[in-house]
Each structure stands twice: as structure tokens, then as C-alpha cells.
Amino acid sequence: RVQENSLLTSKGELSKLGIYGKKSWNEIVVGVSKIIPGQTLLTEMSADSRGEIMIRGNTQGRNQLTNFLESINKIQGFYGELGYANEMVLKDKQLVQFQIKIRQKAASR
């Protein structure tokens, strides 16, 4: 529910940015919401004036993060770049805190 509410809020904020490169950012928000791996929590999703989306969150392992990034890169017209992935231990649980930047692919000529 927390992820769902966060994504709905982000979707509203992103829709204010309009359409970049003839592609709606709503498409990427919906796409990302469908591929969030289990045991992964998105803590922040924001966009800037250049039309880039920043996702921050926590997951239980690097494999889940790698799979998430690969899934993002399969969304047509977009690609993700890993900003950072920091391992940390909280109450005997290992977590990976991450940041991914999502950009539109340049139109091919």
C-alpha cells in the first residue's frame, strides 16, 4: 500500500511535467510499478526538468537490484542507470540501499 500510494503521488507529479519526446512519463511510472521485485521498497520517486526520473529504495540483495535494473531496461523507450548501491545492516538484516536514474532513449534516426 505504501508503494502504491507513493507511485500514485509520483504519477501525479510526473504528469505535471507533461510529455517529453512524445512519450508520456505515466507510461514509465506504470511500467516500474509492475516490475518492483518482492522485498524491494521504493522510498522516493521524483523527476526533474530534464525529464529524468530518480528512484531510491531498499532491497534485500544485489541480485534483486540487478534484476530490477534489467527489468527497467526492458521497458520500451527507457533505460536505467545505477547511481549507487550501498550495503548496510539493520537489526541483523542485510539491505542494499540504491538509487536508479531512468532516462528516455534517444530517438533513432
Side-chain angles (χ1 to χ4, degrees), residues 28 32 35-37 40 42-47 52-59 62 64-73 79-85 96-103:
I28 189 65
V32 168
I35 60 172
I36 299 169
T40 298
L42 297 186
T43 57
E44 183 179 341
M45 190 173 199
S46 60
E52 297 174 347
I53 297 175
M54 191 74 62
I55 297 174
R56 291 185 181 93
N58 302 304
T59 191
R62 288 194 177 266
Q64 285 182 322
L65 179 56
T66 299
N67 292 339
F68 187 34
L69 188 57
E70 288 174 357
S71 295
I72 289 170
N73 287 327
Y79 68 97
E81 293 178 349
L82 183 63
Y84 61 79
V96 178
Q97 187 177 46
F98 65 87
Q99 174 182 296
I100 296 174
K101 184 179 285 190
I102 301 174
R103 296 179 175 156

Side-chain angles (χ1 to χ4, degrees), residues 2-46:
V2 172
Q3 286 178 337
E4 209 171 286
N5 289 337
S6 177
L7 286 172
L8 288 174
T9 300
S10 297
K11 185 176 177 180
E13 290 174 8
L14 292 171
S15 67
K16 292 177 189 173
L17 293 173
I19 297 176
Y20 289 91
K22 299 180 184 175
K23 214 164 201 18
S24 170
W25 282 108
N26 289 338
E27 179 181 338
I28 189 65
V29 172
V30 170
V32 168
S33 69
K34 291 179 180 179
I35 60 172
I36 299 169
Q39 306 302 315
T40 298
L41 174 65
L42 297 186
T43 57
E44 183 179 341
M45 190 173 199
S46 60

